[in-house]
Amino acid sequence: MKRILLLGLALAPVALFASEGAVETDIVQRTVNFIIFAGILWYLLADKIKAFFADRTLSIQGELDKVQDTLKASKDKVSDAQKKLEEAKKLAADIIEGAKADIDSVKQKVATAVDSDISHLNKNLDEMMKVETSKAKREVVAKVLEELLSSENIKLTQDELANIVLKKVA
C-alpha cells in the first residue's frame, strides 16, 4: 500500500508538468482515480495474492524436496549397487582362486594315479614276460627233448635222460 502511494506521489508532479500551456486535461483527476483504484485493488487482493504466492512457493519447495529425496535415493541405490559390484568382484576372484587350487589338486591326484597305474602295469608286464619266457623255455626244451628222443641216432638210457633233465631244471 505504501509503495502505491509513493508511486502516485512520484508520478503526480510529472503529470502536472506534462501539460503545455492553455490546454487543460483531466490528467490529474485520472491519476488520482488510478491511484485510488490501485489502492483498493491492493487492499482487497493483497492477502490473496500473498497467500497464492506463499502457497506457490511452498508447492515449489515441496516439489524440490521430492526431487532431492528421489535424487538422494538414487545416489544411495547407486552406491549400494557399486558396493555389491565390488563384493561380487571379490567373490568372483575368490571363486577363481579356489577353482585354480582345485585344478592343481586334481592334477596332482590324476598324476599320482597315473604314476601308480604305470608302475602296476610295468610290474604286471615284467611278471608276464617272466611267465612267457618260462613257457617258451619249456616248449623249446620239450621240442628238443622230443626230437632227441624220437631220433634214432641218439640212444639215451633212462639214467642219462634223468640227469639231463635234472641239470636243465636246476
Side-chain angles (χ1 to χ4, degrees):
M1 180 80 172
K2 291 180 184 179
R3 288 184 191 169
I4 295 175
L5 288 176
L6 288 176
L7 181 65
L9 292 176
L11 292 178
V14 172
L16 290 175
F17 294 119
S19 64
E20 264 187 43
V23 181
E24 276 192 38
T25 59
D26 59 346
I27 190 78
V28 174
Q29 290 87 6
R30 286 184 182 200
T31 306
V32 171
N33 283 341
F34 177 75
I35 292 171
I36 291 171
F37 177 72
I40 291 172
L41 277 178
W42 180 259
Y43 179 73
L44 292 176
L45 298 177
D47 292 335
K48 293 178 183 174
I49 292 172
K50 285 180 184 178
F52 170 77
F53 284 118
D55 288 343
R56 182 71 178 143
T57 303
L58 290 176
S59 68
I60 291 172
Q61 184 64 37
E63 291 290 326
L64 181 62
D65 290 341
K66 286 180 185 177
V67 169
Q68 286 177 344
D69 290 341
T70 305
L71 179 64
K72 184 181 177 194
S74 297
K75 286 182 180 179
D76 290 341
K77 286 181 181 179
V78 166
S79 67
D80 288 343
Q82 287 176 343
K83 287 178 185 176
K84 287 181 181 178
L85 178 64
E86 291 299 322
E87 290 174 4
K89 285 181 181 179
K90 288 179 184 177
L91 181 62
D94 292 342
I95 289 172
I96 289 171
E97 289 298 320
K100 286 181 181 178
D102 289 345
I103 288 171
D104 290 340
S105 68
V106 168
K107 281 182 182 178
Q108 283 182 330
K109 287 179 183 177
V110 168
T112 305
V114 167
D115 289 341
S116 174
D117 288 346
I118 288 173
S119 67
H120 288 299
L121 288 174
N122 283 336
K123 286 179 185 178
N124 288 341
L125 177 65
D126 290 342
E127 289 176 11
M128 288 179 73
M129 286 176 66
K130 286 180 185 177
V131 169
E132 291 297 321
T133 305
S134 67
K135 279 184 185 178
K137 284 182 183 179
R138 278 190 230 143
E139 288 177 7
V140 168
V141 169
K143 283 183 183 178
V144 168
L145 283 177
E146 235 179 82
E147 284 180 16
L148 288 177
L149 293 177
S150 64
S151 75
E152 296 183 8
N153 295 341
I154 299 177
K155 297 277 182 182
L156 293 174
T157 63
Q158 196 67 13
D159 290 332
E160 292 175 344
L161 188 58
N163 284 335
I164 292 173
V165 170
L166 282 176
K167 286 179 185 178
K168 287 288 187 183
V169 171

